[in-house]
Amino acid sequence: MGIILSLVTAFLIAYALFQGNWQDFVQAWRTIPFVHLITLDFCFMNLFLPLSPLLDDDLARRGLQDSYWFWAIVLLPLFGALAYLCWRPTLQDPQLRLTLTPSYQ
C-alpha cells in the first residue's frame, strides 16, 4: 500500500508541477474559500504529523529506536511519511497485530 501511495503521489506532484496552471490555482486560492481551506489543511497536517502521538506509538510498536525515521518524516513532510510507510518493518508481536486490526464480530 505504501508503494502504491508513493507512486500515485509522485505522479500527481509531477502532473501538478508540469501540467498545472498555477495562475488559476492562485486565483482560486484567493477567491474560493474551499480551495484556501484545503490547501492550508494540507500544509498544517504535514507540519504537525511529527507532533502526533500516533507516530511515536507506531515507532515504539515496531521497535524503531533510531531517530532516523523521525527526522526523515520531519524534514521531508510528504515524501518522508510515504517512505516510512514503504520501509517500516512489520509488527512482530501477534498481540499487537490483533489490537490494530478491527473486529467485525
Side-chain angles (χ1 to χ4, degrees):
M1 184 58 116
I3 294 171
I4 292 170
L5 286 172
S6 298
L7 291 174
V8 168
T9 301
F11 172 76
L12 290 174
I13 294 289
Y15 182 77
L17 289 175
F18 298 116
Q19 299 294 321
N21 188 338
W22 290 97
Q23 291 82 16
D24 283 348
F25 173 74
V26 170
Q27 181 65 24
W29 193 79
R30 289 180 180 168
T31 58
I32 302 172
F34 181 72
V35 174
H36 188 90
L37 176 71
I38 294 300
T39 303
L40 290 176
D41 182 50
F42 175 75
C43 293
F44 283 129
M45 289 298 163
N46 278 311
L47 288 175
F48 292 130
L49 175 67
L51 301 176
S52 170
L54 295 174
L55 181 60
D56 294 333
D57 183 52
D58 192 54
L59 287 169
R61 285 179 189 235
R62 295 174 192 280
L64 296 173
Q65 302 299 325
D66 188 16
S67 64
Y68 169 75
W69 287 109
F70 179 77
W71 288 110
I73 293 169
V74 171
L75 297 177
L76 296 171
L78 179 60
F79 289 103
L82 289 170
Y84 177 70
L85 286 176
C86 290
W87 290 315
R88 67 183 179 173
T90 60
L91 289 173
Q92 299 301 322
D93 188 5
Q95 286 295 341
L96 290 176
R97 274 193 228 136
L98 289 176
T99 60
L100 295 177
T101 56
S103 146
Y104 298 107
Q105 297 172 351

